[in-house]
Amino acid sequence: KHTGGVTAVAYNPNGKQVATAGGEKVIKLWDAEKGEVLHDLIGHQGAIIHSLSYSGDGSLLISGAEESQVRIWNTEKGTSTRILKLEGVCMSAVLSRDGKYAATAEASLRKPLICVWDVESGEKIGQWLEPARGGLHHLHFSPAGTEIYAACSDKMSYVWSIKGEFRGRFAGHSDILGGLDLSYDGTR
């Protein structure tokens, strides 16, 4: 049980595990059937953990908090496998379905910055400034892992290749976009 409020939730694609983050800077991995805590993941220093995302096979979990790093966790062992150092404060963190790539959005001194990382090496393979005025709220990979979608506070969502090539934007929303999702096959 979290002692503070729950700030993020992610359901493992394997259907056997749920990750929750609380105000006490702890991520809990739960057995989805028994409701028992399997692991407490400790390591974030930021005030609020707001991003949780599993890889497609559920073996990895990425977490982002209000700090200049994100963590990648082994969900079976409950251990941190990689820390990605950011230039600014994490706004969103997500893993590609195959677990090969991570994408982060961060608030930096320049403007919101989007970065793509190779998960195995921890190397940054691309970065670009996000065009929205005001901020970026959520990232999502396409099912194939070749594109990144962003929900932004300028009432639009944007699409880039993982190399940062602009692919388009979706306009016409009447308010700030706080999140987004794609169908499993990526057609919607």
Side-chain angles (χ1 to χ4, degrees):
K1 174 176 167 178
H2 290 285
T3 57
V6 174
T7 58
V9 177
Y11 199 81
N12 192 318
N14 71 17
K16 298 177 181 177
Q17 191 182 79
V18 176
T20 60
E24 72 277 10
K25 304 175 191 170
V26 173
I27 300 163
K28 293 187 178 291
L29 298 184
W30 301 83
D31 181 302
E33 291 180 13
K34 298 177 184 174
E36 298 172 352
V37 175
L38 302 169
H39 301 287
D40 283 338
L41 309 182
I42 299 169
H44 281 289
Q45 305 301 314
I48 297 173
I49 300 169
H50 52 69
S51 289
L52 296 173
S53 172
Y54 281 98
S55 59
D57 66 359
S59 65
L60 298 175
L61 177 77
I62 192 169
S63 58
E66 292 178 344
E67 61 190 0
S68 297
Q69 67 179 9
V70 298
R71 289 181 175 264
I72 299 173
W73 307 88
N74 175 310
T75 60
E76 185 178 325
K77 296 177 182 176
T79 56
S80 179
T81 62
R82 173 129 355 252
I83 298 172
L84 304 176
K85 300 286 186 186
L86 309 180
E87 293 178 29
V89 175
C90 178
M91 303 298 291
S92 182
V94 65
L95 288 171
S96 61
R97 190 179 287 172
D98 62 10
K100 291 182 181 179
Y101 302 108
T104 58
E106 55 192 271
S108 70
L109 293 175
R110 296 182 283 170
K111 247 185 120 173
L113 182 67
I114 297 173
C115 299
V116 178
W117 308 79
D118 179 284
V119 168
E120 187 173 326
S121 70
E123 296 294 319
K124 192 183 299 182
I125 62 170
Q127 77 175 34
W128 59 95
L129 293 176
E130 178 268 314
R133 292 179 303 265
L136 189 148
H137 297 284
H138 185 77
L139 295 176
H140 196 52
F141 272 99
S142 64
T146 57
E147 295 177 319
I148 297 170
Y149 291 74
C152 299
S153 60
D154 64 355
K155 304 178 186 175
M156 289 193 246
S157 58
Y158 296 86
V159 185
W160 296 271
S161 75
I162 63 168
K163 302 286 187 197
E165 299 155 340
F166 182 73
R167 298 278 170 90
R169 69 176 168 211
F170 300 95
H173 302 283
S174 61
D175 207 344
I176 293 171
L177 299 178
L180 64 89
D181 205 352
L182 299 174
S183 62
Y184 190 77
D185 64 3
T187 60
R188 298 175 203 189

